[in-house]
Amino acid sequence: MNNRYAVILAAGQGTRMKSNLYKVLHPVCGKPMVQHVVDQVSKVGVEETVVVVGHGAEKVQDQLGDKITYVLQEEQLGTGHAVVQAEELLKDKNGVTIVLCGDTPLITSETMEALLAYHEEQGAKATVLTAKATDPTGYGRIVRDDSGAVERIVEHKDATQEEREITEINTGTYCFDNTLLFSALKHVGNSNVQGEYYLPDVIEILQKNNDLIAAFQTTSFDETLGVNDRVALASAEKVMKKRINEDHMRKGVTIIDPENTYIGPDVTIGIDTVIEPGSILKGKTTIGAQCQIGPHTEIVDSYVGNETTITQSVVKSSEVGNLVKIGPFAHIRPLSQLSDEVKVGNFVEVKKSSFGKGSKASHLSYIGDAEVGNDVNLGCGSITVNYDGVKKHLTKVEDGAFIGCNSNLIAPVTIGKNAYVAAGSTITKDVPSDALAIARERQAVKENYVNKLKG
């Protein structure tokens, strides 16, 4: 196998998106378009990936990180001009360069690998990835000679009426012999309607030198979709969502209503887990086996163990153990850890807190900046009062403690092992183990008070 290199074109401004966000950073299923492309390229064994950036260059680099090499296209003068920016990095390297667009988030590593393999098998100097389009308007057309070989690629705006009838289109993805690519680019001109330097012109230049040009036609037109506006972005989202959901279902996950379930590309889910409608799973989320998720549950960048149920709730940047029950209408905020067999019930908010095995907060509570031990019961309306107006403070509730309903724990404070806090108490001092703390006014009854008031 030849050495492989990749050039990803990501310098276009994307004016048709009508957005302040750089085009290739618009997300598809929660991940920026260009990140989809880079992630797929990384699976085909390239030696170096060069991303051509322009508008919003710093934000693209922030997204992709320092494992990528970047070159700047200061003026957007066409795809050929964009690839030229990578010349100093790649021109003297022997091998194959795959050129892709950063706004084609649906292309897969399997298609890239098939294209590269075909290019190498044919001994071609350039290979074009093509597809059949029902409506080829706007796409470059593949013009073949009488033998079926690729003769040239003509852009839609430069095509004759006869050429516009061609339905085989240029997807904008190519393989080139690397040294020949940069040699040919020196001869590309801009005598066209757009006044730009087109990368497809390299094909005609190589052909005139009697170099072999090949075309590999993908069976999936969807993979070639380039996103230039919000309508195309929505179309890409729909295709990606369907692809992701079907992949999970084939791996043993039940998705009750795939049309109304949204799963990010980096989410992993164990077998026999059921995802109910309206659920959204994002980021680096892992769901274990035999879980029940949803309906209408959002989980972001979190780990969820096996046999856990999360109903109509939100979990973000947290760890949830096995056999946990969350919801309905609970909110698990970042940096929370729920151990096995924990229950967090309806209208409970947990923030930056840990719950030990078997502990429960079943109703209407706020638990923030707390360490809750094993087998603790936090009664309805329990509040950890963690903020004094300047700093956050820690509440500790040790193993086996019982916190009565409507109790306020004023941090910093520790409730000892197996201690009890009476309902309605406001606790400001530590409670020793095995003690009962009562912090409320003694009840007073005024006989006949109402009658006197009315009289």
Side-chain angles (χ1 to χ4, degrees):
M1 184 177 74
N2 293 316
N3 289 332
R4 293 175 173 180
Y5 309 96
V7 175
I8 299 174
L9 309 183
Q13 188 172 7
T15 54
R16 281 179 282 173
M17 295 296 288
K18 302 287 193 299
S19 175
N20 292 323
L21 181 64
Y22 189 43
K23 182 174 77 165
V24 297
L25 293 179
H26 278 267
V28 172
C29 288
K31 179 186 287 189
M33 291 191 284
V34 69
Q35 187 72 66
H36 279 289
V37 179
V38 168
D39 288 351
Q40 293 300 311
V41 165
S42 69
K43 298 177 182 180
V44 297
V46 296
E47 299 290 324
E48 184 174 4
T49 299
V50 180
V51 176
V52 183
V53 293
H55 297 283
E58 291 183 1
K59 292 182 178 179
V60 174
Q61 293 179 51
D62 289 343
Q63 170 62 41
L64 299 179
D66 56 9
K67 293 183 180 180
I68 303 297
T69 305
Y70 302 94
V71 293
L72 179 65
Q73 185 187 20
E74 293 184 2
E75 292 184 273
Q76 278 65 63
L77 301 178
T79 52
H81 179 258
V83 176
V84 165
Q85 310 312 306
E87 182 175 11
E88 290 304 311
L89 293 171
L90 299 178
K91 65 179 180 179
D92 296 325
K93 296 182 177 181
N94 292 318
V96 178
T97 293
I98 183 170
V99 180
L100 307 108
C101 296
D103 61 359
T104 54
L106 299 172
I107 192 164
T108 64
S109 59
E110 290 80 8
T111 294
M112 294 180 200
E113 184 61 51
L115 172 64
L116 285 158
Y118 184 80
H119 175 83
E120 292 168 355
E121 289 167 6
Q122 296 297 310
K125 300 306 179 184
T127 303
V128 187
L129 181 66
T130 73
K132 285 285 188 178
T134 304
D135 179 9
T137 303
Y139 289 94
R141 307 303 203 277
I142 304 299
V143 179
R144 295 178 180 266
D145 62 22
D146 293 338
S147 67
V150 177
E151 185 175 276
R152 69 185 188 281
I153 301 171
V154 59
E155 295 299 317
H156 178 86
K157 291 181 179 179
D158 299 309
T160 65
Q161 187 56 46
E162 183 180 1
E163 288 167 339
R164 290 185 180 185
E165 298 299 319
I166 297 171
T167 57
E168 185 180 15
I169 58 97
N170 173 23
T171 67
T173 297
Y174 313 85
C175 287
F176 294 101
D177 175 281
N178 189 65
T179 55
L180 286 180
L181 167 62
F182 291 104
S183 175
L185 279 169
K186 297 181 186 302
H187 303 287
V188 171
N190 65 343
S191 298
N192 50 61
V193 173
Q194 295 287 90
E196 294 183 348
Y197 299 89
Y198 293 148
L199 181 60
D201 288 354
V202 169
I203 302 298
E204 192 170 354
I205 290 167
L206 294 177
Q207 187 126 40
K208 288 178 179 178
N209 291 333
N210 295 317
D211 291 312
L212 177 61
I213 308 300
F216 179 78
Q217 188 176 117
T218 177
T219 57
S220 174
F221 177 76
D222 285 341
E223 285 195 33
T224 71
L225 178 67
V227 175
N228 291 312
D229 58 24
R230 308 289 181 132
V231 175
L233 185 67
S235 296
E237 180 87 14
K238 184 175 182 179
V239 173
M240 182 70 77
K241 178 166 72 75
K242 183 174 184 288
R243 178 191 296 175
I244 292 169
N245 289 353
E246 288 181 354
D247 182 61
H248 284 294
M249 288 187 282
R250 291 190 180 100
K251 291 177 178 176
V253 177
T254 296
I255 300 178
I256 300 300
D257 184 0
E259 289 294 317
N260 292 291
T261 301
Y262 305 86
I263 302 175
D266 297 322
V267 173
T268 60
I269 307 174
I271 63 170
D272 293 324
T273 284
V274 177
I275 311 295
E276 296 278 356
S279 294
I280 302 171
L281 311 179
K282 296 180 180 179
K284 301 287 185 179
T285 289
T286 297
I287 309 291
Q290 296 178 281
C291 292
Q292 187 82 21
I293 306 298
H296 304 293
T297 290
E298 181 181 11
I299 304 176
V300 182
D301 291 323
S302 296
Y303 173 86
V304 178
N306 301 322
E307 299 181 68
T308 285
T309 299
I310 306 176
T311 305
Q312 291 167 310
S313 296
V314 176
V315 180
K316 293 187 177 180
S317 302
S318 295
E319 295 183 14
V320 179
N322 303 319
L323 296 163
V324 173
K325 293 184 178 179
I326 298 174
F329 313 117
H331 187 184
I332 311 301
R333 290 170 57 189
L335 303 177
S336 295
Q337 294 180 307
L338 308 184
S339 299
D340 297 346
E341 301 176 37
V342 163
K343 180 180 179 182
V344 175
N346 51 294
F347 302 105
V348 174
E349 181 177 353
V350 178
K351 172 255 179 185
K352 198 179 179 181
S353 297
S354 61
F355 276 56
K357 183 177 180 179
S359 290
K360 299 176 177 64
S362 296
H363 329 275
L364 300 161
S365 295
Y366 170 74
I367 311 300
D369 297 281
E371 294 177 3
V372 179
N374 300 328
D375 299 313
V376 170
N377 187 84
L378 298 167
C380 178
S382 296
I383 305 293
T384 60
V385 185
N386 58 335
Y387 185 48
D388 64 6
V390 178
K391 294 181 179 179
K392 300 290 179 69
H393 298 280
L394 180 67
T395 298
K396 291 186 178 181
V397 184
E398 296 181 350
D399 296 351
F402 182 96
I403 310 301
C405 294
N406 198 35
S407 294
N408 298 310
L409 308 181
I410 311 297
V413 71
T414 297
I415 311 300
K417 188 174 181 180
N418 297 320
Y420 274 50
V421 172
S425 294
T426 294
I427 302 299
T428 59
K429 298 178 181 179
D430 292 351
V431 179
S433 297
D434 301 308
L436 168 64
I438 304 174
R440 62 192 183 205
E441 287 289 331
R442 186 178 298 275
Q443 181 173 322
V445 177
K446 306 292 185 179
E447 298 284 352
N448 297 317
Y449 178 80
V450 175
N451 291 334
K452 292 178 181 179
L453 183 67
K454 291 180 178 179

